[in-house]
Amino acid sequence: MADYATLARTIAALTEGEKDAVALMATIACEVHSADDRFDWTGFYRVYTPGVLKIGPYQGGHGCLTIPFDKGVCGAAARTGQVQLVADVDAFPGHIACAASTRSELVIPVRNGRGSLLGVLDIDSDQPDAFTQEDADQLQSILDKAFVFAR
């Protein structure tokens, strides 16, 4: 399990005063990815046009370049605005297999302080049922604080 208290402090120190969403995404992807061995692929998909996500900063193997809001776990998080905690990606209707090794997935919508959807944080694991509600809650808190002034 990631040491979320340390991760939150590190990200806060590294991103203090930063408002550029891509710079924040790059820093957060790097820090989150290295925080836990369960995290096989860690990255952001940015809202590119209405209803479409495009790959943003990430750590791990190649990701899908474009994901419509009506496809996959990332699309579901963007479309509904709800965290997607998926224990078994093969059981998720419409799952997009960007990497064949992915067994479970956690996707968290990313909003700025005005409530605008900027994208989603996608974390894949090669382990089944790798993520908990605690992971989702802690990461959501980190994202909410980091992106409050993002544009």
Side-chain angles (χ1 to χ4, degrees):
M1 175 76 87
D3 177 351
Y4 285 112
T6 299
L7 182 62
R9 283 192 303 273
T10 301
I11 288 172
L14 290 170
T15 62
E16 184 178 0
E18 183 58 63
K19 294 179 182 171
D20 180 76
V22 174
L24 290 166
M25 289 175 183
T27 302
I28 293 168
C30 180
E31 292 301 318
V32 170
H33 187 71
S34 62
D36 196 310
D37 289 340
R38 295 173 299 159
F39 303 169
D40 190 50
W41 191 95
T42 308
F44 290 87
Y45 284 93
R46 303 170 296 110
V47 174
Y48 181 68
T49 57
V52 177
L53 297 168
K54 282 271 194 187
I55 190 92
Y58 66 91
Q59 300 280 311
H62 293 284
C64 295
L65 297 180
T66 303
I67 299 176
F69 278 27
D70 62 352
K71 302 281 187 214
V73 181
C74 291
R79 183 178 67 255
T80 66
Q82 301 295 314
V83 170
Q84 302 293 308
L85 184 59
V86 180
D88 177 3
V89 295
D90 291 331
F92 188 90
H95 174 254
I96 301 170
C98 295
S101 61
T102 300
R103 295 290 167 253
S104 58
E105 194 166 354
L106 172 60
V107 183
I108 303 170
V110 177
R111 297 184 180 279
N112 63 18
R114 294 182 310 277
S116 298
L117 181 66
L118 302 175
V120 299
L121 171 63
D122 179 19
I123 305 174
D124 297 349
S125 181
D126 56 6
Q127 303 169 31
D129 202 14
F131 305 108
T132 65
Q133 188 61 50
E134 176 74 9
D135 293 316
D137 294 344
Q138 293 289 339
L139 290 164
Q140 183 75 73
S141 176
I142 289 169
L143 294 171
D144 288 348
K145 290 173 184 158
F147 286 93
V148 70
F149 298 113
R151 50 181 192 260

